[in-house]
mmCIF file of all heavy atoms in Angstrom:
data_model
loop_
_atom_site.group_PDB
_atom_site.id
_atom_site.type_symbol
_atom_site.label_atom_id
_atom_site.label_comp_id
_atom_site.label_asym_id
_atom_site.label_seq_id
_atom_site.Cartn_x
_atom_site.Cartn_y
_atom_site.Cartn_z
ATOM 1 N N ILE A 1 -14.414 -4.105 -2.912
ATOM 2 C CA ILE A 1 -15.758 -3.551 -3.132
ATOM 3 C C ILE A 1 -15.592 -2.078 -3.510
ATOM 4 O O ILE A 1 -14.860 -1.335 -2.833
ATOM 5 C CB ILE A 1 -16.635 -3.692 -1.870
ATOM 6 C CG1 ILE A 1 -16.786 -5.173 -1.518
ATOM 7 C CG2 ILE A 1 -17.995 -3.038 -2.083
ATOM 8 C CD1 ILE A 1 -17.499 -5.441 -0.225
ATOM 9 N N ILE A 2 -16.262 -1.668 -4.580
ATOM 10 C CA ILE A 2 -16.118 -0.269 -5.005
ATOM 11 C C ILE A 2 -16.599 0.661 -3.897
ATOM 12 O O ILE A 2 -17.495 0.338 -3.129
ATOM 13 C CB ILE A 2 -16.875 0.021 -6.322
ATOM 14 C CG1 ILE A 2 -18.358 -0.289 -6.189
ATOM 15 C CG2 ILE A 2 -16.249 -0.697 -7.483
ATOM 16 C CD1 ILE A 2 -19.173 0.147 -7.385
ATOM 17 N N GLU A 3 -15.966 1.812 -3.839
ATOM 18 C CA GLU A 3 -16.260 2.789 -2.789
ATOM 19 C C GLU A 3 -17.317 3.784 -3.277
ATOM 20 O O GLU A 3 -17.235 4.295 -4.398
ATOM 21 C CB GLU A 3 -14.982 3.543 -2.429
ATOM 22 C CG GLU A 3 -15.186 4.633 -1.412
ATOM 23 C CD GLU A 3 -13.935 5.450 -1.184
ATOM 24 O OE1 GLU A 3 -12.855 5.072 -1.666
ATOM 25 O OE2 GLU A 3 -14.045 6.504 -0.527
ATOM 26 N N LEU A 4 -18.294 4.034 -2.424
ATOM 27 C CA LEU A 4 -19.282 5.075 -2.711
ATOM 28 C C LEU A 4 -18.630 6.412 -2.428
ATOM 29 O O LEU A 4 -18.241 6.696 -1.296
ATOM 30 C CB LEU A 4 -20.526 4.890 -1.837
ATOM 31 C CG LEU A 4 -21.582 5.972 -1.948
ATOM 32 C CD1 LEU A 4 -22.207 5.973 -3.336
ATOM 33 C CD2 LEU A 4 -22.654 5.790 -0.904
ATOM 34 N N ILE A 5 -18.489 7.234 -3.445
ATOM 35 C CA ILE A 5 -17.844 8.529 -3.288
ATOM 36 C C ILE A 5 -18.870 9.591 -2.919
ATOM 37 O O ILE A 5 -18.669 10.371 -2.006
ATOM 38 C CB ILE A 5 -17.077 8.917 -4.566
ATOM 39 C CG1 ILE A 5 -15.942 7.912 -4.783
ATOM 40 C CG2 ILE A 5 -16.546 10.329 -4.477
ATOM 41 C CD1 ILE A 5 -15.226 8.052 -6.089
ATOM 42 N N ASP A 6 -19.994 9.591 -3.638
ATOM 43 C CA ASP A 6 -21.001 10.630 -3.392
ATOM 44 C C ASP A 6 -22.316 10.218 -4.043
ATOM 45 O O ASP A 6 -22.373 9.321 -4.865
ATOM 46 C CB ASP A 6 -20.531 11.955 -3.989
ATOM 47 C CG ASP A 6 -21.256 13.163 -3.425
ATOM 48 O OD1 ASP A 6 -22.044 13.006 -2.464
ATOM 49 O OD2 ASP A 6 -21.041 14.272 -3.940
ATOM 50 N N ILE A 7 -23.354 10.910 -3.647
ATOM 51 C CA ILE A 7 -24.661 10.810 -4.288
ATOM 52 C C ILE A 7 -25.036 12.232 -4.678
ATOM 53 O O ILE A 7 -25.023 13.138 -3.837
ATOM 54 C CB ILE A 7 -25.721 10.220 -3.345
ATOM 55 C CG1 ILE A 7 -25.302 8.822 -2.906
ATOM 56 C CG2 ILE A 7 -27.086 10.196 -4.010
ATOM 57 C CD1 ILE A 7 -26.136 8.253 -1.807
ATOM 58 N N GLN A 8 -25.335 12.437 -5.949
ATOM 59 C CA GLN A 8 -25.673 13.780 -6.419
ATOM 60 C C GLN A 8 -26.975 14.238 -5.784
ATOM 61 O O GLN A 8 -27.990 13.566 -5.885
ATOM 62 C CB GLN A 8 -25.797 13.785 -7.943
ATOM 63 C CG GLN A 8 -26.115 15.120 -8.536
ATOM 64 C CD GLN A 8 -24.990 16.112 -8.354
ATOM 65 O OE1 GLN A 8 -23.834 15.765 -8.525
ATOM 66 N NE2 GLN A 8 -25.324 17.334 -8.017
ATOM 67 N N LYS A 9 -26.930 15.366 -5.122
ATOM 68 C CA LYS A 9 -28.140 15.907 -4.509
ATOM 69 C C LYS A 9 -29.056 16.491 -5.584
ATOM 70 O O LYS A 9 -28.595 17.136 -6.515
ATOM 71 C CB LYS A 9 -27.774 16.979 -3.491
ATOM 72 C CG LYS A 9 -27.022 16.413 -2.308
ATOM 73 C CD LYS A 9 -26.734 17.481 -1.284
ATOM 74 C CE LYS A 9 -26.114 16.881 -0.065
ATOM 75 N NZ LYS A 9 -24.701 16.665 -0.150
ATOM 76 N N PRO A 10 -30.356 16.271 -5.458
ATOM 77 C CA PRO A 10 -31.293 16.814 -6.456
ATOM 78 C C PRO A 10 -31.397 18.329 -6.335
ATOM 79 O O PRO A 10 -31.187 18.897 -5.259
ATOM 80 C CB PRO A 10 -32.611 16.131 -6.109
ATOM 81 C CG PRO A 10 -32.493 15.756 -4.680
ATOM 82 C CD PRO A 10 -31.044 15.484 -4.433
ATOM 83 N N SER A 11 -31.738 18.967 -7.429
ATOM 84 C CA SER A 11 -31.894 20.431 -7.416
ATOM 85 C C SER A 11 -33.136 20.851 -6.654
ATOM 86 O O SER A 11 -33.207 21.944 -6.115
ATOM 87 C CB SER A 11 -31.945 20.963 -8.849
ATOM 88 O OG SER A 11 -32.999 20.324 -9.555
ATOM 89 N N SER A 12 -34.132 19.982 -6.598
ATOM 90 C CA SER A 12 -35.365 20.268 -5.875
ATOM 91 C C SER A 12 -35.681 19.074 -4.969
ATOM 92 O O SER A 12 -35.657 17.932 -5.422
ATOM 93 C CB SER A 12 -36.509 20.477 -6.863
ATOM 94 O OG SER A 12 -37.744 20.462 -6.189
ATOM 95 N N PRO A 13 -36.004 19.301 -3.705
ATOM 96 C CA PRO A 13 -36.268 18.179 -2.797
ATOM 97 C C PRO A 13 -37.573 17.442 -3.071
ATOM 98 O O PRO A 13 -37.779 16.349 -2.562
ATOM 99 C CB PRO A 13 -36.286 18.833 -1.420
ATOM 100 C CG PRO A 13 -36.579 20.262 -1.661
ATOM 101 C CD PRO A 13 -36.047 20.588 -3.028
ATOM 102 N N THR A 14 -38.443 18.003 -3.883
ATOM 103 C CA THR A 14 -39.741 17.372 -4.114
ATOM 104 C C THR A 14 -39.994 16.957 -5.562
ATOM 105 O O THR A 14 -40.897 16.185 -5.815
ATOM 106 C CB THR A 14 -40.888 18.306 -3.679
ATOM 107 O OG1 THR A 14 -40.780 19.530 -4.406
ATOM 108 C CG2 THR A 14 -40.835 18.572 -2.189
ATOM 109 N N ASN A 15 -39.206 17.472 -6.478
ATOM 110 C CA ASN A 15 -39.502 17.232 -7.887
ATOM 111 C C ASN A 15 -38.273 16.682 -8.614
ATOM 112 O O ASN A 15 -37.598 17.386 -9.345
ATOM 113 C CB ASN A 15 -39.969 18.532 -8.553
ATOM 114 C CG ASN A 15 -40.484 18.276 -9.946
ATOM 115 O OD1 ASN A 15 -40.801 17.158 -10.302
ATOM 116 N ND2 ASN A 15 -40.560 19.326 -10.742
ATOM 117 N N TYR A 16 -37.968 15.401 -8.381
ATOM 118 C CA TYR A 16 -36.873 14.766 -9.104
ATOM 119 C C TYR A 16 -37.193 13.293 -9.290
ATOM 120 O O TYR A 16 -37.951 12.711 -8.541
ATOM 121 C CB TYR A 16 -35.529 14.964 -8.410
ATOM 122 C CG TYR A 16 -35.407 14.294 -7.065
ATOM 123 C CD1 TYR A 16 -34.776 13.071 -6.931
ATOM 124 C CD2 TYR A 16 -35.908 14.896 -5.915
ATOM 125 C CE1 TYR A 16 -34.663 12.457 -5.707
ATOM 126 C CE2 TYR A 16 -35.795 14.291 -4.686
ATOM 127 C CZ TYR A 16 -35.155 13.071 -4.587
ATOM 128 O OH TYR A 16 -35.046 12.472 -3.364
ATOM 129 N N GLU A 17 -36.597 12.696 -10.321
ATOM 130 C CA GLU A 17 -36.878 11.301 -10.657
ATOM 131 C C GLU A 17 -35.630 10.426 -10.622
ATOM 132 O O GLU A 17 -35.693 9.275 -10.232
ATOM 133 C CB GLU A 17 -37.475 11.211 -12.064
ATOM 134 C CG GLU A 17 -38.805 11.884 -12.219
ATOM 135 C CD GLU A 17 -39.307 11.783 -13.651
ATOM 136 O OE1 GLU A 17 -38.508 11.456 -14.545
ATOM 137 O OE2 GLU A 17 -40.501 12.020 -13.861
ATOM 138 N N ASP A 18 -34.511 10.974 -11.046
ATOM 139 C CA ASP A 18 -33.302 10.180 -11.214
ATOM 140 C C ASP A 18 -32.381 10.297 -10.004
ATOM 141 O O ASP A 18 -32.331 11.330 -9.340
ATOM 142 C CB ASP A 18 -32.541 10.633 -12.455
ATOM 143 C CG ASP A 18 -33.383 10.506 -13.718
ATOM 144 O OD1 ASP A 18 -34.377 9.758 -13.690
ATOM 145 O OD2 ASP A 18 -33.046 11.152 -14.711
ATOM 146 N N VAL A 19 -31.650 9.222 -9.749
ATOM 147 C CA VAL A 19 -30.645 9.199 -8.697
ATOM 148 C C VAL A 19 -29.305 8.959 -9.374
ATOM 149 O O VAL A 19 -29.192 8.114 -10.267
ATOM 150 C CB VAL A 19 -30.936 8.079 -7.673
ATOM 151 C CG1 VAL A 19 -29.806 7.935 -6.683
ATOM 152 C CG2 VAL A 19 -32.242 8.339 -6.955
ATOM 153 N N TYR A 20 -28.286 9.695 -8.961
ATOM 154 C CA TYR A 20 -26.945 9.543 -9.498
ATOM 155 C C TYR A 20 -26.020 9.119 -8.369
ATOM 156 O O TYR A 20 -25.841 9.837 -7.398
ATOM 157 C CB TYR A 20 -26.452 10.857 -10.112
ATOM 158 C CG TYR A 20 -27.241 11.269 -11.330
ATOM 159 C CD1 TYR A 20 -28.386 12.059 -11.206
ATOM 160 C CD2 TYR A 20 -26.852 10.867 -12.590
ATOM 161 C CE1 TYR A 20 -29.117 12.432 -12.317
ATOM 162 C CE2 TYR A 20 -27.573 11.239 -13.717
ATOM 163 C CZ TYR A 20 -28.698 12.022 -13.568
ATOM 164 O OH TYR A 20 -29.420 12.391 -14.674
ATOM 165 N N ILE A 21 -25.438 7.911 -8.518
ATOM 166 C CA ILE A 21 -24.524 7.367 -7.524
ATOM 167 C C ILE A 21 -23.118 7.446 -8.113
ATOM 168 O O ILE A 21 -22.863 6.931 -9.204
ATOM 169 C CB ILE A 21 -24.880 5.902 -7.190
ATOM 170 C CG1 ILE A 21 -26.295 5.828 -6.621
ATOM 171 C CG2 ILE A 21 -23.866 5.314 -6.218
ATOM 172 C CD1 ILE A 21 -26.790 4.407 -6.403
ATOM 173 N N ILE A 22 -22.204 8.076 -7.389
ATOM 174 C CA ILE A 22 -20.839 8.264 -7.856
ATOM 175 C C ILE A 22 -19.935 7.302 -7.079
ATOM 176 O O ILE A 22 -19.899 7.336 -5.855
ATOM 177 C CB ILE A 22 -20.391 9.725 -7.676
ATOM 178 C CG1 ILE A 22 -21.371 10.638 -8.413
ATOM 179 C CG2 ILE A 22 -18.962 9.919 -8.162
ATOM 180 C CD1 ILE A 22 -21.301 12.081 -8.033
ATOM 181 N N THR A 23 -19.247 6.434 -7.823
ATOM 182 C CA THR A 23 -18.393 5.422 -7.213
ATOM 183 C C THR A 23 -17.023 5.410 -7.883
ATOM 184 O O THR A 23 -16.804 6.097 -8.881
ATOM 185 C CB THR A 23 -18.997 4.001 -7.365
ATOM 186 O OG1 THR A 23 -19.085 3.687 -8.745
ATOM 187 C CG2 THR A 23 -20.360 3.907 -6.707
ATOM 188 N N GLN A 24 -16.147 4.595 -7.321
ATOM 189 C CA GLN A 24 -14.867 4.351 -7.973
ATOM 190 C C GLN A 24 -15.131 3.657 -9.304
ATOM 191 O O GLN A 24 -16.144 2.984 -9.468
ATOM 192 C CB GLN A 24 -14.003 3.423 -7.128
ATOM 193 C CG GLN A 24 -13.497 4.012 -5.857
ATOM 194 C CD GLN A 24 -12.748 2.956 -5.057
ATOM 195 O OE1 GLN A 24 -13.229 1.852 -4.877
ATOM 196 N NE2 GLN A 24 -11.573 3.323 -4.579
ATOM 197 N N LEU A 25 -14.186 3.802 -10.218
ATOM 198 C CA LEU A 25 -14.288 3.130 -11.511
ATOM 199 C C LEU A 25 -13.809 1.698 -11.362
ATOM 200 O O LEU A 25 -12.738 1.441 -10.825
ATOM 201 C CB LEU A 25 -13.448 3.859 -12.556
ATOM 202 C CG LEU A 25 -13.548 3.347 -13.981
ATOM 203 C CD1 LEU A 25 -14.974 3.462 -14.489
ATOM 204 C CD2 LEU A 25 -12.598 4.110 -14.876
ATOM 205 N N MET A 26 -14.613 0.760 -11.822
ATOM 206 C CA MET A 26 -14.266 -0.654 -11.747
ATOM 207 C C MET A 26 -13.397 -1.010 -12.939
ATOM 208 O O MET A 26 -13.583 -0.485 -14.032
ATOM 209 C CB MET A 26 -15.551 -1.482 -11.770
ATOM 210 C CG MET A 26 -15.351 -2.931 -11.754
ATOM 211 S SD MET A 26 -15.814 -3.547 -10.172
ATOM 212 C CE MET A 26 -15.697 -5.280 -10.510
ATOM 213 N N GLU A 27 -12.453 -1.934 -12.744
ATOM 214 C CA GLU A 27 -11.530 -2.312 -13.813
ATOM 215 C C GLU A 27 -12.194 -3.122 -14.910
ATOM 216 O O GLU A 27 -11.719 -3.162 -16.023
ATOM 217 C CB GLU A 27 -10.370 -3.121 -13.230
ATOM 218 C CG GLU A 27 -9.471 -2.309 -12.338
ATOM 219 C CD GLU A 27 -8.341 -3.145 -11.777
ATOM 220 O OE1 GLU A 27 -7.996 -4.183 -12.361
ATOM 221 O OE2 GLU A 27 -7.807 -2.737 -10.749
ATOM 222 N N ALA A 28 -13.301 -3.791 -14.606
ATOM 223 C CA ALA A 28 -13.950 -4.659 -15.591
ATOM 224 C C ALA A 28 -15.447 -4.390 -15.596
ATOM 225 O O ALA A 28 -16.001 -3.922 -14.626
ATOM 226 C CB ALA A 28 -13.680 -6.119 -15.254
ATOM 227 N N ASP A 29 -16.065 -4.714 -16.714
ATOM 228 C CA ASP A 29 -17.507 -4.565 -16.858
ATOM 229 C C ASP A 29 -18.103 -5.958 -17.005
ATOM 230 O O ASP A 29 -18.017 -6.569 -18.075
ATOM 231 C CB ASP A 29 -17.811 -3.701 -18.079
ATOM 232 C CG ASP A 29 -19.290 -3.438 -18.250
ATOM 233 O OD1 ASP A 29 -20.114 -4.108 -17.585
ATOM 234 O OD2 ASP A 29 -19.634 -2.570 -19.059
ATOM 235 N N LEU A 30 -18.665 -6.495 -15.937
ATOM 236 C CA LEU A 30 -19.186 -7.854 -15.940
ATOM 237 C C LEU A 30 -20.320 -8.014 -16.954
ATOM 238 O O LEU A 30 -20.398 -9.014 -17.656
ATOM 239 C CB LEU A 30 -19.660 -8.240 -14.543
ATOM 240 C CG LEU A 30 -20.154 -9.665 -14.350
ATOM 241 C CD1 LEU A 30 -19.089 -10.672 -14.741
ATOM 242 C CD2 LEU A 30 -20.582 -9.879 -12.909
ATOM 243 N N HIS A 31 -21.182 -7.023 -17.074
ATOM 244 C CA HIS A 31 -22.294 -7.092 -18.020
ATOM 245 C C HIS A 31 -21.772 -7.258 -19.451
ATOM 246 O O HIS A 31 -22.239 -8.109 -20.208
ATOM 247 C CB HIS A 31 -23.150 -5.832 -17.905
ATOM 248 C CG HIS A 31 -24.326 -5.831 -18.832
ATOM 249 N ND1 HIS A 31 -24.275 -5.234 -20.072
ATOM 250 C CD2 HIS A 31 -25.565 -6.354 -18.701
ATOM 251 C CE1 HIS A 31 -25.446 -5.394 -20.675
ATOM 252 N NE2 HIS A 31 -26.239 -6.068 -19.864
ATOM 253 N N GLN A 32 -20.784 -6.456 -19.801
ATOM 254 C CA GLN A 32 -20.224 -6.525 -21.152
ATOM 255 C C GLN A 32 -19.537 -7.873 -21.387
ATOM 256 O O GLN A 32 -19.666 -8.465 -22.460
ATOM 257 C CB GLN A 32 -19.233 -5.387 -21.347
ATOM 258 C CG GLN A 32 -18.696 -5.272 -22.742
ATOM 259 C CD GLN A 32 -17.760 -4.090 -22.880
ATOM 260 O OE1 GLN A 32 -17.144 -3.645 -21.921
ATOM 261 N NE2 GLN A 32 -17.655 -3.579 -24.084
ATOM 262 N N LEU A 33 -18.839 -8.371 -20.389
ATOM 263 C CA LEU A 33 -18.155 -9.653 -20.523
ATOM 264 C C LEU A 33 -19.148 -10.802 -20.689
ATOM 265 O O LEU A 33 -18.957 -11.691 -21.514
ATOM 266 C CB LEU A 33 -17.262 -9.902 -19.306
ATOM 267 C CG LEU A 33 -16.435 -11.181 -19.347
ATOM 268 C CD1 LEU A 33 -15.468 -11.167 -20.527
ATOM 269 C CD2 LEU A 33 -15.690 -11.356 -18.049
ATOM 270 N N ILE A 34 -20.227 -10.779 -19.931
ATOM 271 C CA ILE A 34 -21.231 -11.839 -20.011
ATOM 272 C C ILE A 34 -21.849 -11.893 -21.410
ATOM 273 O O ILE A 34 -22.071 -12.962 -21.967
ATOM 274 C CB ILE A 34 -22.314 -11.662 -18.939
ATOM 275 C CG1 ILE A 34 -21.725 -11.990 -17.561
ATOM 276 C CG2 ILE A 34 -23.532 -12.530 -19.219
ATOM 277 C CD1 ILE A 34 -22.635 -11.644 -16.400
ATOM 278 N N TYR A 35 -22.141 -10.733 -22.005
ATOM 279 C CA TYR A 35 -22.796 -10.698 -23.308
ATOM 280 C C TYR A 35 -21.830 -10.735 -24.486
ATOM 281 O O TYR A 35 -22.259 -10.746 -25.628
ATOM 282 C CB TYR A 35 -23.721 -9.487 -23.409
ATOM 283 C CG TYR A 35 -24.978 -9.697 -22.593
ATOM 284 C CD1 TYR A 35 -25.102 -9.154 -21.326
ATOM 285 C CD2 TYR A 35 -26.007 -10.490 -23.074
ATOM 286 C CE1 TYR A 35 -26.239 -9.375 -20.567
ATOM 287 C CE2 TYR A 35 -27.138 -10.720 -22.317
ATOM 288 C CZ TYR A 35 -27.255 -10.153 -21.070
ATOM 289 O OH TYR A 35 -28.384 -10.380 -20.318
ATOM 290 N N SER A 36 -20.534 -10.794 -24.206
ATOM 291 C CA SER A 36 -19.579 -10.920 -25.303
ATOM 292 C C SER A 36 -19.527 -12.384 -25.739
ATOM 293 O O SER A 36 -20.055 -13.273 -25.080
ATOM 294 C CB SER A 36 -18.183 -10.466 -24.850
ATOM 295 O OG SER A 36 -17.622 -11.424 -23.980
ATOM 296 N N ARG A 37 -18.901 -12.635 -26.832
ATOM 297 C CA ARG A 37 -18.805 -14.009 -27.333
ATOM 298 C C ARG A 37 -17.584 -14.727 -26.742
ATOM 299 O O ARG A 37 -17.303 -15.867 -27.080
ATOM 300 C CB ARG A 37 -18.736 -14.011 -28.846
ATOM 301 C CG ARG A 37 -20.018 -13.458 -29.455
ATOM 302 C CD ARG A 37 -20.122 -13.860 -30.903
ATOM 303 N NE ARG A 37 -21.361 -13.358 -31.461
ATOM 304 C CZ ARG A 37 -22.454 -14.085 -31.568
ATOM 305 N NH1 ARG A 37 -22.469 -15.314 -31.154
ATOM 306 N NH2 ARG A 37 -23.546 -13.570 -32.089
ATOM 307 N N GLN A 38 -16.876 -14.042 -25.853
ATOM 308 C CA GLN A 38 -15.692 -14.640 -25.238
ATOM 309 C C GLN A 38 -16.107 -15.754 -24.280
ATOM 310 O O GLN A 38 -17.020 -15.590 -23.479
ATOM 311 C CB GLN A 38 -14.916 -13.574 -24.475
ATOM 312 C CG GLN A 38 -13.695 -14.099 -23.779
ATOM 313 C CD GLN A 38 -12.934 -13.005 -23.056
ATOM 314 O OE1 GLN A 38 -13.238 -11.830 -23.199
ATOM 315 N NE2 GLN A 38 -11.950 -13.395 -22.286
ATOM 316 N N LYS A 39 -15.435 -16.881 -24.378
ATOM 317 C CA LYS A 39 -15.730 -17.999 -23.493
ATOM 318 C C LYS A 39 -15.115 -17.712 -22.123
ATOM 319 O O LYS A 39 -13.947 -17.336 -22.025
ATOM 320 C CB LYS A 39 -15.163 -19.294 -24.056
ATOM 321 C CG LYS A 39 -15.499 -20.497 -23.219
ATOM 322 C CD LYS A 39 -14.990 -21.778 -23.830
ATOM 323 C CE LYS A 39 -15.387 -22.901 -22.898
ATOM 324 N NZ LYS A 39 -14.684 -24.117 -23.156
ATOM 325 N N LEU A 40 -15.915 -17.859 -21.081
ATOM 326 C CA LEU A 40 -15.416 -17.625 -19.732
ATOM 327 C C LEU A 40 -14.696 -18.866 -19.228
ATOM 328 O O LEU A 40 -15.213 -19.982 -19.308
ATOM 329 C CB LEU A 40 -16.562 -17.268 -18.787
ATOM 330 C CG LEU A 40 -17.322 -15.988 -19.106
ATOM 331 C CD1 LEU A 40 -18.432 -15.767 -18.097
ATOM 332 C CD2 LEU A 40 -16.399 -14.791 -19.127
ATOM 333 N N GLU A 41 -13.518 -18.679 -18.716
ATOM 334 C CA GLU A 41 -12.695 -19.764 -18.191
ATOM 335 C C GLU A 41 -12.713 -19.704 -16.661
ATOM 336 O O GLU A 41 -13.232 -18.762 -16.068
ATOM 337 C CB GLU A 41 -11.252 -19.623 -18.698
ATOM 338 C CG GLU A 41 -11.127 -19.590 -20.207
ATOM 339 C CD GLU A 41 -11.428 -20.928 -20.866
ATOM 340 O OE1 GLU A 41 -11.315 -21.966 -20.195
ATOM 341 O OE2 GLU A 41 -11.794 -20.924 -22.060
ATOM 342 N N GLY A 42 -12.125 -20.699 -16.050
ATOM 343 C CA GLY A 42 -12.057 -20.746 -14.589
ATOM 344 C C GLY A 42 -11.396 -19.522 -13.984
ATOM 345 O O GLY A 42 -11.796 -19.047 -12.918
ATOM 346 N N ASP A 43 -10.374 -18.968 -14.675
ATOM 347 C CA ASP A 43 -9.700 -17.761 -14.177
ATOM 348 C C ASP A 43 -10.657 -16.576 -14.100
ATOM 349 O O ASP A 43 -10.566 -15.747 -13.192
ATOM 350 C CB ASP A 43 -8.514 -17.404 -15.070
ATOM 351 C CG ASP A 43 -7.377 -18.398 -14.954
ATOM 352 O OD1 ASP A 43 -7.345 -19.154 -13.955
ATOM 353 O OD2 ASP A 43 -6.530 -18.423 -15.859
ATOM 354 N N HIS A 44 -11.562 -16.475 -15.074
ATOM 355 C CA HIS A 44 -12.550 -15.394 -15.055
ATOM 356 C C HIS A 44 -13.434 -15.507 -13.818
ATOM 357 O O HIS A 44 -13.659 -14.534 -13.105
ATOM 358 C CB HIS A 44 -13.441 -15.434 -16.311
ATOM 359 C CG HIS A 44 -12.732 -15.046 -17.557
ATOM 360 N ND1 HIS A 44 -12.392 -15.972 -18.503
ATOM 361 C CD2 HIS A 44 -12.318 -13.851 -18.012
ATOM 362 C CE1 HIS A 44 -11.779 -15.349 -19.508
ATOM 363 N NE2 HIS A 44 -11.725 -14.066 -19.226
ATOM 364 N N TYR A 45 -13.959 -16.705 -13.574
ATOM 365 C CA TYR A 45 -14.835 -16.905 -12.429
ATOM 366 C C TYR A 45 -14.111 -16.600 -11.122
ATOM 367 O O TYR A 45 -14.660 -15.942 -10.227
ATOM 368 C CB TYR A 45 -15.372 -18.342 -12.394
ATOM 369 C CG TYR A 45 -16.220 -18.688 -13.597
ATOM 370 C CD1 TYR A 45 -15.857 -19.715 -14.450
ATOM 371 C CD2 TYR A 45 -17.386 -17.980 -13.875
ATOM 372 C CE1 TYR A 45 -16.637 -20.040 -15.559
ATOM 373 C CE2 TYR A 45 -18.165 -18.288 -14.972
ATOM 374 C CZ TYR A 45 -17.785 -19.324 -15.813
ATOM 375 O OH TYR A 45 -18.544 -19.610 -16.903
ATOM 376 N N GLN A 46 -12.850 -17.039 -11.022
ATOM 377 C CA GLN A 46 -12.086 -16.770 -9.808
ATOM 378 C C GLN A 46 -11.887 -15.274 -9.609
ATOM 379 O O GLN A 46 -12.013 -14.760 -8.509
ATOM 380 C CB GLN A 46 -10.727 -17.465 -9.885
ATOM 381 C CG GLN A 46 -10.795 -18.960 -9.682
ATOM 382 C CD GLN A 46 -9.433 -19.604 -9.780
ATOM 383 O OE1 GLN A 46 -8.493 -19.017 -10.317
ATOM 384 N NE2 GLN A 46 -9.329 -20.830 -9.288
ATOM 385 N N TYR A 47 -11.569 -14.562 -10.708
ATOM 386 C CA TYR A 47 -11.347 -13.114 -10.611
ATOM 387 C C TYR A 47 -12.595 -12.388 -10.119
ATOM 388 O O TYR A 47 -12.524 -11.568 -9.215
ATOM 389 C CB TYR A 47 -10.906 -12.561 -11.975
ATOM 390 C CG TYR A 47 -10.756 -11.068 -11.982
ATOM 391 C CD1 TYR A 47 -9.645 -10.460 -11.450
ATOM 392 C CD2 TYR A 47 -11.749 -10.251 -12.525
ATOM 393 C CE1 TYR A 47 -9.500 -9.086 -11.440
ATOM 394 C CE2 TYR A 47 -11.623 -8.878 -12.526
ATOM 395 C CZ TYR A 47 -10.493 -8.305 -11.983
ATOM 396 O OH TYR A 47 -10.382 -6.947 -11.972
ATOM 397 N N PHE A 48 -13.739 -12.702 -10.703
ATOM 398 C CA PHE A 48 -14.968 -12.001 -10.316
ATOM 399 C C PHE A 48 -15.443 -12.394 -8.929
ATOM 400 O O PHE A 48 -16.003 -11.590 -8.206
ATOM 401 C CB PHE A 48 -16.065 -12.203 -11.366
ATOM 402 C CG PHE A 48 -15.798 -11.437 -12.619
ATOM 403 C CD1 PHE A 48 -15.555 -12.087 -13.815
ATOM 404 C CD2 PHE A 48 -15.747 -10.051 -12.616
ATOM 405 C CE1 PHE A 48 -15.301 -11.378 -14.969
ATOM 406 C CE2 PHE A 48 -15.484 -9.332 -13.756
ATOM 407 C CZ PHE A 48 -15.247 -9.992 -14.936
#
């Protein structure tokens, strides 16, 4: 499971919209793999 490294603190405690979560870099991008034309095999499912 990726590790949560930090959460960027907002510059103002009352006036912010975005949240930035800083984590370890994952070796694979599941979203990109799902939308690629590559056929997923049993090894892919086992890995994820």
Side-chain angles (χ1 to χ4, degrees):
I1 299 174
I2 58 172
E3 177 186 350
L4 175 66
I5 296 172
D6 198 7
I7 300 170
Q8 181 66 42
K9 294 183 174 83
S11 57
S12 167
T14 58
N15 189 18
Y16 66 99
E17 296 178 345
D18 301 341
V19 173
Y20 294 89
I21 299 174
I22 303 164
T23 62
Q24 291 175 312
L25 185 61
M26 178 108 172
E27 292 180 22
D29 183 347
L30 184 57
H31 181 265
Q32 186 178 26
L33 183 62
I34 288 171
Y35 286 99
S36 73
R37 296 198 179 263
Q38 179 179 352
K39 183 177 180 195
L40 297 180
E41 303 290 337
D43 291 342
H44 289 107
Y45 298 119
Q46 286 179 342
Y47 176 79
F48 288 115

